[in-house]
Amino acid sequence: NQKKRREPIIDTTPQTATPPSGGLHALRETLESIVIAFVLAFLFRTFEAEAFVIPTGSMSPSLQGQHKDLCCSECEYRFRTTASTEGDERAKLIANGQDPSLVDTVAGMCPMCRQTIIYHKNFTKDIPSYINQQNFEPTSTYPGDRILVNKYIYANRDPDRWDVVVFKFPGNGEMNYIKRLVGLPNETLQIYQGDIFIRPENDDQNGFQIERKPADKIRVMLQPVHDTDYDPSILYNAGWPLRWGSESSQGWDIEIQAGEKKVQQLYRYDAKTNANKESVDWLSYRHLIPTDNDWLIAREFTQNGRYPGTSKQQWLDNIRPALIRDFNPYNARLMRNDVRKNGWSMVPRCRGKNWVSDLALECEVEIEEATGELLLDLVEGGKHFICRINLEDGSVGFSADGKPYASSHSQDTATQDTDSNTYSMAINKTDLNQPGKHRLLFCNVDDQLILWVDDELVRLDNTLAGLQYDANSLYGNRANNLPTTSENDLGDLAPVRMGARGAKLTVHNLKVMRDIYYVSVRAGSAGSSTSQDYPSTSLQLVDGNYIPVPASDYQLFTDPATWPRFKKRNKQTFEIDTDQFFVLGDNSPESLDCRLWVTPNAMTGAKPGGHYLDRRLLIGKAVCVFWPHSWGSIPGIPILPGFPGFGDMRIVR
């Protein structure tokens, strides 16, 4: 009945969510049909709309496919992990007389504390000791997001770049796909360093220019890296350092309280207690990621006070900050067959394979006195990109390259020192010039600096929503944008910072996020895996020097001696002809999109014509997620069939 009522959108293979059985499923289907009819009749009368369900996860985190809802047993962070293999993949195994449980997803990984979590019933044998089994709860599989698609919109206009579009798969007209449109007709598109570059037709003089995402797209595409509200007490009690810390002994006052599950953190700054009131005091973030072995040691120290063969100091001395990479918890899953073949360790691609330098910082700030300055700093390739907030008049300024600011306090003015490549911008005043609580979001994405205050975009003028800078000028060449660190400046090993001078304020709920990283690969190219876009296993000659082969991913992302190999990141170029488009999935490491569209489909053998989407195959634009399932339930009613997750109802950006 489900297939007759609506047609699923497909990403890689035609997957269908396995529906719950019994009366609850029938009741949910009835309620869902009523809601669909209501929405179509009253809210979308001006155009033709159709409901779809997304079974696979090529658009995660923007849109979810068939998945499991998880809550970490240690830090209590909620997240989702793919379970798309539990649909048609099971049916295929059954049809071939094989064990269908081979494709059951049995474990995931928390994006905050990186704990491996088991969540499959009837699979509790031979679990290693680093996995917490005390709070194990079997987790249900849920269908993907239900969306409405506007099928009429492109009859009157062309698609816009960054639209989320639904279309017929070029290799099989019976299969529907959903991706994000990034390339337009008559362009040459290039994927490099995780970003999209465009060269218009007949424009060989200017070369490739980075394509900057609009601010509203950036916000929905940011992915979580760390949140101070979800640091687990078990690691902290064992001695594991918190990721945020003050760079000076007389700077920030950090209040820490370890609860039963999580560590509460509050960061206060009062210039009156600082001996040098003219200096900037910094809080800095270090990407300290525990491994499975670290979790094992932490549990032993917490429960038994010791770990055989290792002292606590030896353990702590081996902790190293790492570069931020393109880890996506949606992909970090283990299937039963993975465990049987390789054991419980997460397969490498689950942990991310590429250095991500486009970052964002979000935080809640309570200004107690309207004095001094607050600074937000994002580091990329050793360069400091700073947002400076004057708490006396509410003005905001940006700079790139971390060099001294130009003295400009006028509104809506921009200056550039061409000799030093230093940019500064003084913009219209905000309401940050009076005591009160505010939420700030500052990002450095696609060579642009953008600030939101209380969810409102801070604009420089009527058209520009952020400071755009030229990476080729800043780095001498974009290829020189490499992770950097030194004794005097941790650089990319402390990629996010917050500073204060002459101020009195309190900060909490600090969130570090990253931009989506488009992996630069294509079908038929060397190293065409969609998980990494640089050589990691061979000796590399970079700028006349041989770069050692890292012994592991851990060494690659923590040892500066191996970082020059990032200069060898792939650069893939695609030609887009008339009436063609180029589409990519937001979940770049696990998306069958235009990059790979000369490879026959694994199930049907169908082969697209090339790296493009023909205009005639467009179905429409994704509009909204209209009936997501609920995370929880009403107290006293453990299961409420058909109850929607209102917080997840949203417009598709």
Side-chain angles (χ1 to χ4, degrees):
N1 292 334
Q2 188 181 26
K3 288 188 176 180
K4 291 181 180 179
R5 185 171 51 79
R6 62 178 184 271
E7 185 177 9
I9 295 170
I10 306 297
D11 293 343
T12 54
T13 58
Q15 315 250 2
T16 304
T18 304
S21 60
L24 295 181
H25 173 241
L27 180 56
R28 180 184 179 111
E29 290 293 308
T30 301
L31 290 172
E32 182 182 317
S33 298
I34 294 173
V35 170
I36 292 174
F38 177 86
V39 172
L40 295 181
F42 294 95
L43 300 183
F44 293 92
R45 296 177 64 184
T46 58
F47 56 83
E48 182 183 359
E50 185 174 347
F52 292 83
V53 64
I54 302 174
T56 59
S58 76
M59 285 298 294
S60 170
S62 303
L63 296 169
Q64 307 293 334
Q66 184 168 304
H67 64 276
K68 293 181 181 290
D69 290 339
L70 302 177
C71 183
C72 179
S73 60
E74 295 298 352
C75 71
E76 299 183 333
Y77 185 78
R78 286 182 167 182
F79 63 102
R80 291 180 165 116
T81 297
T82 182
S84 60
T85 55
E86 296 185 5
D88 283 355
E89 290 297 317
R90 289 177 59 89
K92 286 192 296 183
L93 290 175
I94 293 174
N96 294 329
Q98 297 176 278
D99 182 2
S101 69
L102 292 176
V103 294
D104 286 348
T105 51
V106 298
M109 178 173 283
C110 174
M112 292 296 113
C113 66
R114 300 299 176 91
Q115 177 197 201
T116 300
I117 302 171
I118 182 171
Y119 51 73
H120 193 280
K121 62 182 179 180
N122 303 325
F123 198 73
T124 58
K125 295 181 180 180
D126 302 322
I127 299 176
S129 55
Y130 60 78
I131 296 179
N132 180 14
Q133 302 178 50
Q134 296 178 355
N135 296 322
F136 163 67
E137 295 182 5
T139 305
S140 300
T141 299
Y142 295 95
D145 284 334
R146 291 167 170 81
I147 66 171
L148 287 177
V149 176
N150 183 341
K151 300 175 64 177
Y152 181 72
I153 187 170
Y154 296 139
N156 298 319
R157 69 170 179 85
D158 291 333
D160 293 325
R161 198 187 314 275
W162 309 114
D163 279 355
V164 177
V165 297
V166 178
F167 54 92
K168 296 292 184 181
F169 176 55
N172 183 349
E174 297 181 358
M175 298 167 58
N176 295 329
Y177 272 42
I178 181 168
K179 308 289 180 189
R180 192 176 296 276
L181 192 150
V182 300
L184 301 175
N186 302 314
E187 293 180 336
T188 302
L189 179 142
Q190 189 175 87
I191 306 174
Y192 181 49
Q193 295 184 346
D195 293 324
I196 301 298
F197 296 82
I198 297 295
R199 185 181 66 202
E201 185 180 24
N202 301 323
D203 187 2
D204 297 330
Q205 181 176 359
N206 295 320
F208 287 98
Q209 302 295 319
I210 191 169
E211 192 61 42
R212 297 177 171 91
K213 292 186 287 291
D216 63 331
K217 305 292 184 181
I218 290 175
R219 292 202 67 172
V220 299
M221 296 170 74
L222 288 174
Q223 298 193 27
V225 174
H226 178 254
D227 188 328
T228 54
D229 283 358
Y230 297 96
D231 279 313
S233 293
I234 184 172
L235 284 180
Y236 177 75
N237 291 334
W240 188 270
L242 295 174
R243 300 194 203 180
W244 284 90
S246 179
E247 294 185 3
S248 64
S249 59
Q250 297 181 344
W252 291 78
D253 180 24
I254 305 177
E255 298 180 11
I256 301 173
Q257 182 177 355
E260 180 181 357
K261 287 291 185 180
K262 297 180 289 187
V263 181
Q264 297 181 2
Q265 301 161 66
L266 200 64
Y267 301 86
R268 300 184 184 276
Y269 186 85
D270 189 350
K272 296 178 182 178
T273 63
N274 190 346
N276 186 1
K277 296 181 175 57
E278 296 301 318
S279 65
V280 176
D281 291 300
W282 292 99
L283 274 176
S284 59
Y285 171 83
R286 293 182 302 159
H287 198 48
L288 303 172
I289 303 299
T291 63
D292 291 337
N293 191 57
D294 289 324
W295 269 106
L296 173 61
I297 295 174
R299 293 190 195 284
E300 290 294 325
F301 277 127
T302 300
Q303 297 170 7
N304 305 318
R306 64 185 183 87
Y307 181 74
T310 302
S311 70
K312 179 172 288 190
Q313 193 58 50
Q314 288 175 322
W315 175 51
L316 297 178
D317 287 344
N318 286 324
I319 297 175
R320 297 286 185 272
L323 301 175
I324 293 175
R325 41 178 157 164
D326 59 339
F327 171 80
N328 184 346
Y330 194 86
N331 302 334
R333 82 293 192 187
L334 285 175
M335 292 187 295
R336 187 185 296 265
N337 204 33
D338 294 330
V339 177
R340 290 181 177 181
K341 289 182 177 180
N342 305 313
W344 279 94
S345 179
M346 285 289 176
V347 292
R349 64 184 173 86
C350 289
R351 297 183 182 271
K353 299 287 289 183
N354 300 284
W355 169 52
V356 181
S357 57
D358 283 6
L359 304 177
L361 168 63
E362 186 174 10
C363 61
E364 293 184 11
V365 178
E366 182 176 0
I367 301 171
E368 300 179 36
E369 295 181 4
T371 60
E373 291 181 314
L374 176 66
L375 298 90
L376 310 176
D377 181 18
L378 300 173
V379 181
E380 179 178 5
K383 308 292 186 182
H384 292 263
F385 298 83
I386 296 178
C387 170
R388 184 184 296 252
I389 303 170
N390 188 323
L391 300 178
E392 296 181 2
D393 62 10
S395 63
V396 180
F398 297 103
S399 73
D401 204 10
K403 297 179 179 179
Y405 283 76
S407 57
S408 173
H409 298 286
S410 60
Q411 297 181 1
D412 296 329
T413 60
T415 63
Q416 177 185 355
D417 184 338
T418 55
D419 294 330
S420 64
N421 294 322
T422 298
Y423 297 74
S424 69
M425 178 74 72
I427 67 174
N428 286 326
K429 296 180 180 180
T430 67
D431 58 357
L432 297 174
N433 61 338
Q434 51 189 340
K437 297 181 179 180
H438 301 277
R439 186 144 200 93
L440 308 180
L441 173 58
F442 174 52
C443 72
N444 175 20
V445 172
D446 302 334
D447 295 357
Q448 58 182 334
L449 308 179
I450 303 178
L451 176 69
W452 289 264
V453 176
D454 297 326
D455 296 323
E456 293 292 331
L457 183 65
V458 177
R459 296 185 177 274
L460 302 183
D461 54 41
N462 292 330
T463 58
L464 185 62
L467 172 62
Q468 300 179 356
Y469 59 87
D470 182 5
N472 283 313
S473 297
L474 285 174
Y475 296 98
N477 185 293
R478 188 179 294 274
N480 296 326
N481 180 2
L482 303 174
T484 303
T485 189
S486 67
E487 292 184 3
N488 298 325
D489 185 354
L490 283 175
D492 292 276
L493 290 181
V496 183
R497 304 196 304 164
M498 171 176 286
R501 176 169 58 183
K504 185 176 182 180
L505 48 84
T506 302
V507 180
H508 66 99
N509 190 211
L510 289 93
K511 296 180 181 179
V512 176
M513 293 172 285
R514 68 169 182 88
D515 186 27
I516 284 176
Y517 187 99
Y518 290 112
V519 185
S520 182
V521 295
R522 67 186 296 150
S525 65
S528 61
S529 164
T530 57
S531 62
Q532 70 182 46
D533 66 0
Y534 61 92
S536 62
T537 59
S538 60
L539 194 66
Q540 292 293 311
L541 181 64
V542 180
D543 296 335
N545 300 311
Y546 283 99
I547 309 304
V549 178
S552 63
D553 280 348
Y554 177 80
Q555 181 187 2
L556 175 62
F557 288 95
T558 58
D559 184 1
T562 66
W563 293 350
R565 70 178 47 245
F566 287 115
K567 196 168 186 177
K568 295 286 188 176
R569 280 173 285 187
N570 294 331
K571 184 184 294 184
Q572 299 292 352
T573 302
F574 303 88
E575 300 287 341
I576 310 172
D577 209 339
T578 304
D579 288 331
Q580 295 177 357
F581 301 99
F582 196 90
V583 294
L584 294 173
D586 285 359
N587 186 357
S588 183
E590 296 200 7
S591 174
L592 179 60
D593 49 40
C594 276
R595 297 170 299 174
L596 306 176
W597 275 4
V598 295
T599 302
N601 180 270
M603 182 175 181
T604 65
K607 183 177 179 179
H611 302 285
Y612 62 87
L613 169 66
D614 196 282
R615 182 189 296 270
R616 62 184 176 81
L617 297 177
L618 279 175
I619 295 176
K621 177 182 177 182
V623 176
C624 66
V625 178
F626 69 91
W627 194 265
H629 71 270
S630 177
W631 271 98
S633 60
I634 294 178
I637 306 178
I639 299 177
L640 186 62
F643 189 75
F646 291 105
D648 282 338
M649 292 182 178
R650 61 195 183 276
I651 301 297
V652 176
R653 302 290 186 186

